[in-house]
Amino acid sequence: MMRIADLEFEVTSCRIEAYCHVEKMQWDIQIECNSHADGKFHGYKPVLSLSLFETPAQAFSHWTDLAPRNARWGDKNDTDVTPSGMLYIFEHTPIFESYARCANRGGEMYVKLDGKCDVYFDEQYDTDLELHLDSPVVFRGVWFGRRPESDCRKAISHFLNPDDFDYAPTENGVSMLTPK
């Protein structure tokens, strides 16, 4: 469930995705919601993009060890800064004054976020609105661009065991390692 002020939205997709850089691994979460049940915001569906964590080489042995982990930020940064977040309803707006947590509950990874956002809809739903998210999150995999499988496995080996992943290029030829 995601809530903006007093409006609740059903989460339809919440997935964590990672990227290997030379000295760190970046962990982002993408959240998609249904439109509001009463048609608020003209039926638009909120989308969140969170850039939450960076981990160094060999920070843990398996991706499930990412949780528990917390992130906090105050400023209205775009997602080029970690940690940070963006909300999209009518336009991209930064999420700020935020505290995010990933935890394991009953064998499943969950993400919780408490923060503020701007929507610019009307006088009631304008700026500095409370934002809350509590949702299970699924690890989609690690993105590599258009690279051969051997390069992907070599890059991830600095961070995680490549044998824990399957090579799964997308229909557009973008390389990805997905958890087994």
Side-chain angles (χ1 to χ4, degrees):
M1 181 275 306
M2 187 183 77
R3 188 176 66 246
I4 299 173
D6 61 342
L7 303 175
E8 290 190 0
F9 298 86
E10 175 190 17
V11 174
T12 58
S13 175
C14 184
R15 60 194 184 277
I16 193 164
E17 301 171 341
Y19 304 86
C20 288
H21 301 289
V22 175
E23 295 182 12
K24 64 185 178 188
M25 197 162 181
Q26 180 177 330
W27 301 84
D28 296 348
I29 298 179
Q30 305 298 320
I31 300 104
E32 298 171 8
C33 298
N34 272 335
S35 56
H36 188 263
D38 293 335
K40 290 287 189 185
F41 302 151
H42 303 299
Y44 282 77
K45 298 176 180 182
V47 175
L48 291 173
S49 297
L50 305 173
S51 182
L52 292 183
F53 312 116
E54 292 177 341
T55 56
Q58 306 305 319
F60 38 81
S61 59
H62 195 265
W63 68 267
T64 54
D65 297 331
L66 177 68
R69 194 168 299 266
N70 303 321
R72 184 181 303 272
W73 67 98
D75 296 334
K76 293 183 175 185
N77 298 320
D78 58 28
T79 53
D80 290 340
V81 177
T82 302
S84 62
M86 299 292 280
L87 168 68
Y88 180 81
I89 299 179
F90 306 107
E91 61 182 285
H92 287 96
T93 58
I95 299 168
F96 54 99
E97 296 180 25
S98 299
Y99 179 64
R101 323 164 269 298
C102 278
N104 291 311
R105 285 191 225 154
E108 216 175 4
M109 190 181 293
Y110 272 77
V111 62
K112 286 185 81 168
L113 172 74
D114 291 298
K116 293 192 174 187
C117 65
D118 299 330
V119 174
Y120 306 118
F121 180 66
D122 61 15
E123 286 184 21
Q124 182 178 2
Y125 303 106
D126 191 27
T127 60
D128 294 324
L129 302 172
E130 295 294 324
L131 174 69
H132 176 76
L133 170 73
D134 190 349
S135 176
V137 62
V138 174
F139 181 38
R140 183 169 181 198
V142 184
W143 294 96
F144 292 93
R146 296 179 188 271
R147 295 170 61 185
E149 180 177 359
S150 60
D151 288 357
C152 299
R153 292 194 177 282
K154 181 178 178 183
I156 204 167
S157 70
H158 300 289
F159 303 97
L160 298 167
N161 183 348
D163 295 333
D164 291 338
F165 296 88
D166 289 324
Y167 180 69
T170 68
E171 60 196 33
N172 298 319
V174 177
S175 299
M176 183 176 215
L177 292 179
T178 58
K180 287 184 178 180

